[in-house]
Structure formats: C-alpha cells, structure tokens
Amino acid sequence: MTISSDSWAAEPGGDLFAVNEERLEVQERTVRQIFAELDFVIYGVDRGGRGVRGNRADSSAADGNATDCDATDSDAMSDYETLNGDISWFELRSGDWSSLDGPYVTVRTYQPGIERHTPLPELEELIERERDRVYEQLGLDEGDSPGRVRSLREWINVGGEPTPVQIHEERGVGHGPTAKARTVWAGRLMVYGSVVLLCGRGIEPADVDLRYLSGRDHDRFITGRTELLRQVEIAKLQRMAQARRGQSALTGLDAHRLLIESSVERALAERAHLASCGRVKLPRRLRVGEPVEQWTAAIRQQMRYASETRREAAAAVQLMVGQLCRLAEKTDWLVGSADGRAALEEVIRYTVFASQVPSLPAQLAWAELQRRPADSPPGSTLRCEAAWLAAWEQWRRERAR
C-alpha cells in the first residue's frame, strides 16, 4: 500500500477551494497508527535546528502540540509500502516541496533484509518519481532528457558517522541557476543492515546529514504531512479553477475536439507502451493525472447543444471518444490525414446533433457493437467489429470519388 496525493483527490462540488478536512483527519489517524506499528529503525534528515521549522517543531513535538508548521519548508511522512502485511519501506521528506530550487530531500528506509524478497528500484526510477511529483504537485513538467548524467561515490553523515553512498545524478539542461534547479540526484547506502534510498534537489549529497528518528520525532512528520496535503490540495484546486476558466472560453464544439485529440493521443501512447513491454515511456502529461476538466467541458457542451441530461451527455461523449480511440488503434489513417479530420468532425456532429452524416452507417455499426452483451460469443463480436471497420472503409472510398 502507498499513501500519496492520489489517495486524497479533491471532492467535486461545494466551495471551489474547500479542502476536505474530514478526509485529512482520517489520513492523520491512519499515519499515526502506521508510525506506532513500525518495528525497524527509520532515518530522516537531521535538520540540526535549521530551516523554517527547526527547533520549534522539536520542542512542540515533545508535548504533542506540533501543529503550527510551514508546509513549504517542513518535514512530512511521504509514502510507505507493505509486503505480506508488514511495512517493507517507509519514506520521509524534508525541505521545500513548492519550487524547483529546493532544498528538498526524501529518505526511504527499507526493513532490514527486505531486498532478498523484493526488487528495489533503480536510482533512475527515484529521479523519475521526483519529476513526476513536481508535475503532479506543482504543474511543472521538467522533461525526460537531462543535460548530463553522472554516477559518483559520495559520503553522507549518518548519526555523525561518514557513510559511503552511491549517487546517480541527472543535471538539468542549460547553464546557471536553471540547470542547477533542475538537477536531481538519487543515492543508495547501507545503514546497520537497512538499505536507505535518498533523492534530492537544490542541495548537494555531501550537505545532507541523516539520523535515526525516535518516537519524539514522529509527531512533526505526521502533522507536517497533514499540512502538506492541505497545501497541495489547495494548489490543485486553484489549477483546476484556472483550467475551468480556460475551458469556459471554448466556443462551439472545441471542447469535444480537444477531448478527442487528447484521448486518442493517450490511447496510442499506451498501446505503444504495452507493445514495447514498457521500453517506450508514456509522456509525463499522460502518465500523471487525468484530463478531468476536458471531460467536464465536453459533457457540459453536450448537455447544452443536445439538450441532454448529464447522464445522457456523459454516455454520448464516452461513446464518441471510444469510437475514435478504437479507430485510431485499428487503422493507420485517423491521425494526421484529411480523412481523419473529416471523420472526427462527422463523429462530433452525429454525437451532438444526430446529423445524417455520410458516415452514418459506421456510426450505427459502432453503436450496435457497444450494445452487445459482455458475454456475447467472441466470433459474433469480431464480425460486428469487422462490419464497423468495413463501413468506415466504404466511407473513405466514397470520399475519394
């Protein structure tokens, strides 16, 4: 199991910037229980009195009142995972999560010996995960092509003792502050039988000090997580509001067009990813998050122009998108051709206005294919799909005359 921002998405409706405080309270109780069940030593950044929270968090944590925390420079529990009912690793983060400049460090401690039972991630995977976090939480895509990659051996102090660490570093593209800000590194070290994985930005590995955490440290990571989730959710709601304003400015059937284009791109990218057994990576904008606002805008336009209820409009838009995604997978002409553009426009006109478009036989064949029961004989379903594709080919032949 992993706790991440995916597990507390904003609730639809209500106050635009209202945070689900009840859900945050449930999350905090869950995290307290997880800390209580830990049966191995975990490590975190030794703040040493530095940073916005500094000694204030330590002193307040002692009496259980660590609630006044600055989420942009704080400590927080990040993720954890279980294996056969036991916690296999536990991750904490420290620093400024809100910008590319950092400093920001995550520290993941594995249960001693767990590497014998499950594969550990490569350091490159940790860096990719960090860039995904930036995209998800800040809405910034750092890209997938670093300017320079280095592997080096450094030393990190753990409890005051220098400990060797293997580092993989991806420097940002360009020069100066921008390149430095986009430099992300990940490291692996062994501490008393536990594998510890680190990932950082805006700070050199040699400047990171670690120490084992005692019970008095836990509260600030728990309350820090709650405040972090609150601030990230507010930022997400603000970006959703901005996207909604952009969608409301669309005219005519542009919402349908944008939804189709992004959905077809996603379907083809996912097919290439699966066909390559994962060697072809999905673009980050497709890999992290879903275009919820695009669906909402298209359904809203469908309700307006087709005079349909929300349920009817959602079903019609789903049918429209499903047909063009399947057509893109089954043919080589939908994307980037005049036939493809014409097909897209006809599917939209049929969906919204029930127009008697030239491709009407194909529209009806697709609807028939989707009405077939899930337990239909495979042979009859294949024949139905073949009839639908044949209708589109007939449409293309007639267009070419």
Side-chain angles (χ1 to χ4, degrees):
M1 178 180 181
T2 298
I3 291 181
S4 70
S5 54
D6 293 336
S7 61
W8 48 268
E11 293 282 353
D15 185 355
L16 183 60
F17 298 116
V19 175
N20 191 326
E21 294 293 340
E22 182 178 354
R23 183 179 296 183
L24 291 181
E25 291 176 5
V26 172
Q27 291 261 344
E28 184 165 314
R29 288 197 297 272
T30 300
V31 171
R32 287 188 184 279
Q33 184 63 33
I34 293 168
F35 267 99
E37 294 174 355
L38 276 174
D39 59 358
F40 59 94
V41 173
I42 57 174
Y43 296 86
V45 171
D46 184 356
R47 305 280 284 192
R50 297 183 297 253
V52 172
R53 299 193 65 186
N55 292 328
R56 179 187 62 187
D58 287 332
S59 60
S60 58
D63 59 13
N65 294 319
T67 57
D68 181 19
C69 53
D70 184 340
T72 62
D73 185 7
S74 61
D75 302 315
M77 180 267 199
S78 177
D79 294 301
Y80 78 102
E81 194 172 78
T82 61
L83 180 67
N84 298 326
D86 295 324
I87 296 175
S88 59
W89 58 260
F90 199 87
E91 186 176 275
L92 306 173
R93 43 118 289 174
S94 296
D96 184 359
W97 62 272
S98 63
S99 75
L100 296 179
D101 296 329
Y104 179 86
V105 179
T106 62
V107 183
R108 179 185 298 185
T109 307
Y110 281 83
Q111 183 186 116
I114 196 70
E115 67 273 12
R116 296 193 298 268
H117 306 287
T118 184
L120 271 57
E122 298 294 333
L123 298 182
E124 294 88 340
E125 295 178 48
L126 298 181
I127 292 176
E128 189 65 20
R129 178 177 175 271
E130 163 60 14
R131 297 198 191 280
D132 286 350
R133 178 198 68 83
V134 167
Y135 183 82
E136 182 181 15
Q137 295 185 353
L138 306 182
L140 302 173
D141 191 346
E142 297 185 283
D144 297 314
S145 300
R148 185 173 63 166
V149 175
R150 293 195 304 169
S151 293
L152 55 154
R153 193 171 180 84
E154 292 274 4
W155 294 85
I156 285 182
N157 283 330
V158 182
E161 295 291 331
T163 305
V165 56
Q166 186 65 36
I167 298 290
H168 176 85
E169 179 188 80
E170 295 186 1
R171 288 195 172 274
V173 177
H175 304 280
T178 300
K180 182 179 180 181
R182 295 198 173 192
T183 296
V184 182
W185 56 266
R188 172 174 173 158
L189 65 156
M190 290 288 296
V191 184
Y192 298 115
S194 287
V195 175
V196 178
L197 300 181
L198 300 95
C199 187
R201 65 164 65 239
I203 186 171
E204 296 296 329
D207 293 330
V208 176
D209 293 338
L210 300 180
R211 68 180 178 88
Y212 79 89
L213 302 179
S214 62
R216 66 185 299 272
D217 298 305
H218 294 174
D219 198 68
R220 78 169 188 270
F221 285 94
I222 295 170
T223 57
R225 173 181 171 77
T226 300
E227 183 59 24
L228 170 67
L229 297 187
R230 181 180 290 112
Q231 295 301 323
V232 170
E233 186 166 350
I234 289 173
K236 277 191 172 184
L237 290 170
Q238 291 173 337
R239 291 198 298 273
M240 288 174 63
Q242 184 178 13
R244 187 176 293 117
R245 287 192 294 270
Q247 296 287 358
S248 65
L250 296 176
T251 59
L253 300 174
D254 285 343
H256 287 66
R257 296 184 182 98
L258 287 177
L259 175 61
I260 290 170
E261 289 170 0
S262 66
S263 298
V264 168
E265 180 188 22
R266 180 184 294 273
L268 293 179
E270 289 176 348
R271 186 178 70 168
H273 177 73
L274 291 174
S276 68
C277 298
R279 291 189 299 274
V280 176
K281 288 170 51 179
L282 291 175
R284 184 170 286 116
R285 68 181 184 280
L286 303 180
R287 193 170 66 245
V288 181
E290 292 288 338
V292 176
E293 285 302 312
Q294 292 182 349
W295 282 94
T296 301
I299 291 171
R300 189 163 52 242
Q301 291 290 63
Q302 180 73 18
M303 293 170 62
R304 175 186 176 190
Y305 287 112
S307 300
E308 294 175 340
T309 66
R310 179 171 295 276
R311 177 174 293 184
E312 292 169 338
V317 170
Q318 181 66 53
L319 194 68
M320 172 191 73
V321 171
Q323 176 172 200
L324 289 171
C325 286
R326 180 78 70 85
L327 197 58
E329 293 174 353
K330 294 292 183 178
T331 68
D332 60 0
W333 54 265
L334 184 70
V335 177
S337 72
D339 283 349
R341 289 188 292 273
L344 182 148
E345 294 299 326
E346 288 195 19
V347 171
I348 292 175
R349 293 208 312 275
Y350 177 77
T351 300
V352 178
F353 304 116
S355 301
Q356 298 296 303
V357 292
S359 60
L360 181 60
Q363 312 296 337
L364 298 176
W366 175 254
E368 174 64 25
L369 178 60
Q370 298 308 297
R371 283 194 295 267
R372 296 188 67 80
D375 58 353
S376 297
S380 62
T381 300
L382 290 174
R383 287 192 296 272
C384 195
E385 182 176 81
W388 165 66
L389 291 172
W392 275 113
E393 286 304 314
Q394 179 64 28
W395 171 81
R396 291 185 68 209
R397 287 193 293 271
E398 292 177 357
R399 268 180 52 83
R401 292 177 182 173

